């Protein structure tokens, strides 16, 4: 098994905080999610998380005009200069203070950041190599309070900065003679947005109390004059260019010319109010499209308005949520508007002209508790403390269905073997089964007396559903077909912490806090066959994929392995030192001593059963080798210091003579502040205050394909996949196997030898070249001549090629011939080949779904065209040509009839 796993995608959370951005083509939205950045491709219906992370939650993102570079700034002032083309970090920089916003100039030569009560302008990094990517050009002072927003003129000559002191300042990007700075007032609350009009210095300013001021400038942008250089700069110019330049630049103007060429002046042309009389709603976000003259404003109640400026004509007034709108962005064409709501983690893209949603996604706004992969690995189902069950597509990264039938937190989710039924357990005392065909809750299982369920399991046939009770210490068994309660299993003396069915036998394993794991035989009237005694409370239990081994995680940070047939312990792993828990800000003891109460809370075997994943109240996920009982690799799931318990030692800078600064509720009155949580709160503070969530891993699952694994964490649903590009893994390599020898064998048409050497070198491009060089009529002969050892590698390569290659039929022929020639021998190794076959099934199933939808659409279109042509054929004998009925025919009928009458050589139309 290879361990070149790397972070590949972030699901379950679509927006956290910060500003949204559209790419230059307007087809993608760049959304900050915690300390990561996700790009949502709206055209191809796909999401992708960039392989980078900041130290704190991202505060703002600035996108260059050409869309190649992005400046990502976190809450601590650390900035990452990122290339969106190669998806890599180019430069690190620290602004030495909290940055509120960052904006590139339209010409891409400068960028401005607002930090504290000042604005700083930097030279933007270019495409050539530079010693320092961020060079400070100027620092602008003026506002007395924190600066909040930036906007540039179209020609990059000036920019405006809004502040919390209710003023807006217009600064010149160059040393203009008639404009150094200009302060605008007129508001009674903090400035939320300021926007220049297109090709003008006219300005719109919006304040938090819902007021809009329209400012007119008496000078066009072309009227700005460069200030004449003085002192040593003037002497330098005189020596370089002679006396002619001196007289041109420094010549004194006449008094009449000075009067005509006065300073830039602003005057308020109008003032409008968004709030009606008696109604007060805070304005929280705004965006303006200069070409369309469209102003979009969002409010704290979730309402947004669309206005046309400068007349202030209302176009739309709708509500997207009941939470505050945190960020708004408009794409380049002005058709799509993106809204971000940080309270519920919502991201919406709305097309205002057709009044329809382009994208509507929402993650779990409380922590996710459990997850499960579908049998083919295409879907992931998650359950959270917000009582919602969400199903995610692993290829697109989008949630396509949300079930809200539960009324309390979801504690367990699982798929049946068919992959079309999801079974969930909840603290509301119900176990529900959901159908993925009709997207409905078709079964609800309840207990005779009210109880809270902590876990759920379904047997391999999908007929038996079991759930563990947290307060009555019982296990309840239902029939999936009838929904009836079959049995209630008693015997445990503590809450049930985990359930798992044996994949190959009718045996149920149950773990409890009473320091035992019981094995129940379904075929023998649910009799307890074995009771495994543990040294501490059991927290998780799982079977190996072949059912020959059982793993149990206990409260003393141990993982014990058992033989379920003989009830004998076969090994144990001590994970206390690998867990490495951090120290919370309010902890009175060190992390070393607090780790005694931390343990692994979730376990999962790899697809081949050789390794086991373990995670718990820590930022690390450990993967162990089962037979050797050693740590193979440790993954750090997050480096976000905005979460609690991330550092091993306390920050001494926060320690004062009066105590820890974390105890001081400094930001209680701020929007998005981090006050002290209520005492005893672990899973979510139900008060109106916010708190620092603690980093933890609640559930781990390996994909049935064996190529990726997923973890539900405080950050969201993290996907780690096998990175084949970073791995050179030859197989039985010797000096005679080289790319030159492989291509020479292909030239000699010795395809079998070329393919075997390509597999031994294990270079993907050479493998693809060797397989695609084989003529399709010789595939059967060559596939039958391949040794059995290489068949598994060939199936894995074909499965991965289905995801990116256009030669669908060619690779399907390869797959068919390999399975026909080696099918009987492969059955003997079904245990080791199962991940490869499931990966192959997932890839083929995806193409099957896409092609079947396209065929159905074409079939319906042809049926419609035939029905229309038949109807018109019946009407034609009785109606003279040119009649009113024919003139009033629906639009498109003549086109469809014309397409049906054309021959194959009449053109390249849709049906040709």
């Amino acid at each position: 098994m290879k361990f070149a796993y790397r972070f590949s995608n972030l699901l379950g959370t679509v927006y956290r905080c910060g500003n949204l951005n559209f790419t230059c083509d307007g087809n993608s939205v760049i959304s900050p999610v915690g300390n990561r950045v996700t790009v949502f491709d709206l055209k191809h219906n796909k999401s992708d998380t960039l392989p980078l992370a900041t130290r704190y939650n991202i505060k703002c993102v600035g996108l260059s005009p050409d869309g190649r570079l992005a400046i990502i700034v976190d809450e601590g002032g650390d900035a990452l200069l990122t290339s969106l083309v190669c998806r890599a970090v180019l430069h690190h920089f620290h602004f030495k203070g909290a940055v509120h916003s960052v904006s590139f100039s339209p010409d891409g030569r400068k960028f401005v950041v607002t930090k504290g009560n000042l604005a700083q302008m930097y030279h933007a990094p270019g495409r050539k190599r530079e010693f320092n990517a961020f060079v400070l050009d100027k620092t602008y002072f003026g506002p007395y309070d924190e600066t909040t927003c930036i906007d540039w003129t179209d020609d990059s000559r000036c920019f405006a900065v809004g502040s919390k002191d209710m003023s807006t300042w217009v600064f010149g990007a160059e040393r203009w003679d008639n404009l150094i700075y200009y302060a605008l007032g007129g508001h009674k609350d903090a400035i939320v947005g300021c926007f220049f009009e297109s090709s003008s210095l006219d300005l719109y300013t919006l304040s938090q109390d819902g007021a809009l001021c329209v400012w007119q400038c008496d000078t066009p942008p072309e009227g700005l004059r460069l200030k004449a250089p003085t002192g040593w700069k003037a002497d330098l110019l005189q020596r370089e260019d002679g006396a002619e330049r001196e007289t041109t630049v420094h010549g004194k103007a006449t008094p009449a010319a000075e009067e005509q060429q006065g300073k830039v002046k602003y005057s308020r042309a109008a003032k409008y109010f968004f709030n009606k009389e008696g109604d007060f709603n805070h304005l929280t976000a705004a965006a303006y499209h200069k070409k369309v003259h469209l102003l979009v404003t969002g409010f704290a109640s979730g309402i947004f308005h669309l206005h046309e400026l400068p007349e202030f004509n209302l176009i739309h007034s709708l509500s997207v949520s009941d939470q505050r709108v945190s960020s708004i962005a408009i794409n380049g064409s002005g058709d799509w508007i993106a809204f971000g709501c940080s309270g519920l983690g919502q991201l919406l893209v709305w097309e205002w002209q057709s009044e329809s949603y382009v994208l509507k996604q929402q993650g779990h706004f409380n922590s996710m508790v459990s997850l499960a992969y579908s049998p083919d690995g295409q879907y992931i189902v998650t359950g959270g403390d917000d009582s919602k069950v969400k199903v995610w597509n692993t290829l697109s990264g989008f949630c396509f269905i949300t079930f809200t039938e539960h009324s309390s937190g979801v504690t367990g989710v699982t798929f049946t073997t068919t992959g079309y039924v999801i079974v969930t357990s909840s603290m509301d005392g119900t176990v529900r089964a959901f159908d993925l065909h009709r997207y409905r809750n078709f079964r609800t299982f309840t207990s005779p007396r009210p109880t809270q369920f902590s876990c759920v399991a379904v047997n391999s046939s999908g007929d038996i559903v079991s759930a563990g009770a947290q307060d009555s210490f019982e296990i309840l068994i239902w029939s999936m077909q009838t929904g009836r309660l079959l049995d209630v299993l008693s015997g445990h003396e503590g809450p049930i912490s985990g359930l798992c069915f044996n994949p190959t036998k009718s045996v149920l394993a149950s773990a409890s806090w009473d320091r035992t794991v019981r094995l129940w035989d379904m075929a023998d009237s649910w009799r307890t066959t074995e009771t495994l005694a543990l040294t501490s409370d059991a927290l998780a239990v799982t079977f190996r994929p072949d059912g020959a081994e059982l793993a149990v995680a206990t409260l003393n940070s141990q993982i014990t392995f058992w033989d379920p047939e003989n009830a004998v312990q076969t090994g144990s792993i001590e994970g206390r030192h690998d867990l490495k828990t951090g120290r919370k800000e309010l902890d009175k003891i060190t992390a070393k001593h607090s780790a005694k109460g931390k343990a692994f809370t979730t376990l999962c075997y790899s697809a081949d059963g050789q390794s086991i994943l373990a995670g718990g109240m820590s930022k690390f996920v450990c993967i162990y080798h089962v037979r050797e009982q050693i740590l193979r690799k440790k993954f750090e799931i997050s480096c976000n210091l905005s979460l609690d318990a991330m550092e091993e030692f306390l920050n001494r800078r926060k320690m004062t003579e009066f105590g820890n600064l974390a105890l001081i509720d400094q930001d209680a009155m701020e929007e998005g502040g981090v006050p002290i949580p209520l005492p005893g709160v672990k899973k979510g503070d139900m008060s109106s205050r916010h708190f620092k969530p603690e980093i933890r891993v609640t559930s781990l699952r390996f994909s049935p394909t064996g190529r990726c694994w997923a973890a539900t964490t405080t950050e969201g649903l993290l996907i780690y996949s096998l990175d084949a590009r970073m791995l050179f893994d030859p197989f039985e390599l010797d000096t005679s196997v080289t790319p030159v020898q492989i291509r020479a064998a292909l030239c000699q048409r010795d395809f079998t030898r070329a393919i075997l050497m390509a597999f031994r070198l294990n270079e993907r491009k050479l493998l693809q070249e060797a397989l695609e060089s084989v003529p399709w009529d010789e595939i059967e002969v060559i596939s039958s001549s391949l040794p059995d050892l290489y068949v598994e590698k060939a199936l894995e390569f074909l499965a991965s090629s289905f995801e990116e290659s256009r030669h669908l039929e060619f690779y399907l022929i390869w797959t068919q011939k390999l399975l026909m020639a080696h099918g009987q021998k492969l059955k003997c190794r079904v245990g080791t080949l199962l991940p490869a076959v499931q990966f192959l099934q997932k890839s083929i199933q995806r193409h099957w779904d896409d092609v079947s939808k396209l065929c159905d659409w074409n079939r319906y279109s042809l049926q419609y065209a035939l029905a229309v042509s038949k109807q018109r054929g019946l009407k034609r004998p009785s109606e003279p040509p040119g009649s009113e009925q024919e003139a009033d025919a629906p639009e498109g009928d003549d086109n469809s009839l014309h397409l049906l009458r054309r021959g194959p050589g009449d053109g390249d139309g849709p049906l040709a």
Side-chain angles (χ1 to χ4, degrees), residues 177 228 245-259 261:
D177 188 23
R245 173 180 289 273
E246 182 182 355
T247 56
T248 304
V249 177
H250 298 288
K252 292 185 178 181
T254 61
E258 287 183 354
E259 292 178 2
Q261 299 177 356

Side-chain angles (χ1 to χ4, degrees), residues 397-691:
F398 288 122
C399 170
F400 62 91
I401 185 64
T402 301
F403 299 106
T404 59
E405 280 77 8
H406 284 296
S407 59
S408 187
V410 179
T411 56
V413 294
T414 185
F415 272 95
T416 60
T417 51
T418 60
Y420 297 110
V421 176
I422 297 171
V423 183
T424 63
S425 61
S426 173
M427 300 292 283
D428 62 2
T430 62
V431 174
R432 297 178 183 268
F434 300 95
D435 183 9
L436 287 186
H437 282 301
R438 296 185 177 92
Y439 301 118
R440 63 188 179 94
N441 175 208
F442 70 95
R443 284 281 187 275
T444 301
F445 309 100
T446 58
S447 60
R449 60 174 180 266
T451 185
Q452 293 179 326
F453 294 113
S454 58
C455 50
V456 67
V458 182
N459 69 337
S460 56
S461 63
D463 299 330
I464 302 299
V465 179
S466 64
Q470 194 169 3
D471 41 9
S472 62
F473 314 153
E474 297 172 339
I475 303 171
L476 287 83
I477 309 294
W478 296 275
S479 170
M480 178 71 80
Q481 299 293 332
T482 62
R484 293 177 55 190
L485 180 64
L486 299 180
D487 205 345
V488 177
L489 309 181
S490 302
H492 281 293
E493 299 175 358
I496 310 298
S497 57
L499 294 174
C500 186
F501 273 98
N502 192 315
T504 58
K505 298 180 181 180
S506 57
V507 174
L508 173 67
S510 63
S512 174
W513 291 4
D514 62 358
R515 302 189 177 188
T516 61
V517 171
R518 291 177 179 264
L519 302 179
W520 313 81
D521 191 356
M522 184 176 64
D524 192 9
S525 301
W526 297 104
R527 184 177 59 86
T528 304
T529 57
E530 297 291 347
T531 300
L532 310 179
L534 306 173
T535 57
S536 185
D537 298 358
L539 301 179
V541 62
T542 183
F543 273 101
R544 204 167 67 184
D546 59 0
E549 190 176 63
L550 183 72
V552 183
T554 54
L555 192 60
N556 56 0
S557 304
Q558 283 188 348
I559 304 174
T560 55
F561 301 96
W562 299 79
D563 180 5
E565 287 290 331
N566 304 315
V568 176
Q569 182 176 346
T570 58
S572 66
I573 294 175
E574 179 64 46
R576 186 184 306 277
H577 300 291
D578 302 327
L579 203 58
K580 268 196 177 179
T581 56
R583 181 172 181 177
K584 299 174 67 174
E585 288 187 345
L586 305 181
D587 280 349
K588 303 298 183 183
I589 57 176
T590 62
K592 183 178 180 180
H593 290 87
S594 67
K596 294 180 178 180
K598 307 289 179 68
F600 293 120
T601 57
T602 176
L603 295 176
C604 177
Y605 273 98
S606 61
D608 56 4
Q610 296 181 5
S611 304
I612 191 167
L613 275 171
M617 300 291 289
S618 170
K619 63 178 180 179
F620 293 106
V621 171
C622 303
I623 185 165
Y624 295 96
H625 193 282
V626 176
R627 189 176 70 254
E628 302 293 338
Q629 298 177 9
I630 58 174
L631 178 68
R632 278 189 159 182
K633 194 168 184 179
K634 188 161 60 172
F635 299 91
E636 186 178 5
I637 60 171
S638 178
C639 59
N640 189 1
L641 297 180
S642 296
L643 303 176
D644 208 357
M646 285 294 298
E647 296 182 290
E648 188 174 357
F649 302 101
L650 284 182
N651 189 353
R652 295 301 176 185
R653 295 178 182 177
K654 294 184 178 181
M655 300 301 296
T656 65
E657 56 181 332
F658 304 105
N660 193 347
L661 288 178
L663 293 169
I664 303 176
D665 197 358
Q666 294 179 340
D667 302 325
M669 302 303 294
E670 298 275 341
E671 184 66 37
V674 188
I676 311 301
L678 291 179
V681 172
K682 293 293 185 183
K683 292 189 175 181
D685 196 342
M686 292 295 105
S687 69
S688 61
R689 303 180 295 174
H690 302 269
F691 71 105

Side-chain angles (χ1 to χ4, degrees), residues 4 18 40 77 107 117 152 195 228 308 371 374 435 503 546 576 678 705 837 845 892:
F40 295 93
D107 59 5
N117 64 337
W152 286 84
F195 308 103
E308 184 183 5
L371 77 103
S374 62
D435 183 9
D546 59 0
R576 186 184 306 277
L678 291 179
T705 63
V837 174
Q845 183 67 35

Side-chain angles (χ1 to χ4, degrees), residues 41 64 143 234 323 326 363 375 515 623 739 773 900:
D41 190 345
S64 63
Q323 298 286 327
S326 304
R515 302 189 177 188
I623 185 165
S773 300
L900 286 171

Side-chain angles (χ1 to χ4, degrees), residues 32-302:
V33 184
N35 67 332
R36 300 182 183 270
V37 175
T38 303
V39 180
F40 295 93
D41 190 345
L42 306 177
K43 186 176 180 180
H44 300 96
N45 191 33
K46 191 175 182 181
S47 70
D48 187 26
T49 303
L50 300 182
L52 55 92
T54 57
R55 296 178 69 241
Y56 294 91
N57 285 335
I58 294 174
K59 183 68 175 179
C60 54
V61 178
L63 197 63
S64 63
D66 58 0
R68 293 175 174 268
L69 298 176
I71 297 177
I72 303 170
V73 188
D74 63 12
E75 294 173 347
D78 289 317
L80 301 179
L81 176 63
T82 307
S83 170
L84 298 180
V85 179
C86 60
R87 295 158 48 89
V89 177
L90 305 179
H91 185 67
H92 293 260
F93 190 78
H94 186 60
F95 285 109
K96 299 179 181 178
V99 174
H100 191 280
S101 56
V102 57
S103 177
F104 275 88
S105 62
D107 59 5
R109 298 174 59 186
K110 305 284 181 67
F111 70 88
V112 173
V113 296
T114 57
K115 184 182 70 172
N117 64 337
L118 52 87
Q120 291 181 331
M121 185 167 65
Y122 289 81
H123 291 284
R127 299 185 184 179
K128 59 182 179 180
R129 292 188 177 183
E130 298 172 333
F131 179 74
N132 186 8
F134 291 174
V135 179
L136 180 63
D137 186 14
K138 297 182 184 69
T139 300
Y140 298 86
F141 298 88
Y144 294 97
D145 205 343
E146 292 185 10
T147 48
T148 57
C149 54
I150 312 169
D151 191 54
W152 286 84
T153 56
D154 289 340
D155 54 5
S156 304
R157 291 169 177 253
C158 304
F159 63 92
V161 174
S163 173
K164 288 185 178 180
D165 64 359
M166 302 174 287
S167 64
T168 304
W169 294 73
V170 181
F171 296 105
E174 303 290 342
R175 294 180 62 87
W176 303 116
D177 188 23
N178 51 346
L179 176 62
I180 300 176
Y181 65 88
Y182 203 101
L184 303 172
H187 287 283
K188 298 180 180 179
D189 209 338
I191 304 298
V192 175
C194 54
F195 308 103
F196 280 103
E197 188 56 270
S198 177
S199 303
S200 173
L201 291 178
D202 295 345
L203 191 65
Y204 303 106
T205 58
L206 297 97
S207 59
Q208 194 171 350
D209 59 354
L212 167 67
C213 289
V214 182
W215 303 91
Q216 285 186 350
C217 183
D218 62 349
T219 305
E222 297 81 11
L224 296 176
R225 305 184 309 273
L226 279 172
K227 191 173 183 179
T230 58
W232 64 271
K233 292 185 178 180
D235 298 338
L236 182 63
L237 288 173
Q238 181 180 2
R239 285 194 296 269
E240 290 180 352
D241 299 341
E244 183 180 357
R245 173 180 289 273
E246 182 182 355
T247 56
T248 304
V249 177
H250 298 288
K252 292 185 178 181
T254 61
E258 287 183 354
E259 292 178 2
Q260 293 176 0
Q261 299 177 356
K263 300 293 184 180
V264 171
K265 293 182 180 180
Y266 276 92
S267 61
R268 192 174 72 185
K271 187 173 184 179
Y272 304 101
F273 297 94
F274 292 94
N275 297 320
K276 299 178 182 179
E277 294 184 5
D279 181 24
F280 184 74
N281 194 3
H282 276 294
L283 192 148
T284 55
Y288 179 64
H289 196 278
K290 299 180 181 180
K291 295 180 181 178
V292 189
H293 303 285
L294 180 69
L295 176 67
V296 185
T297 52
F299 294 86
S301 61

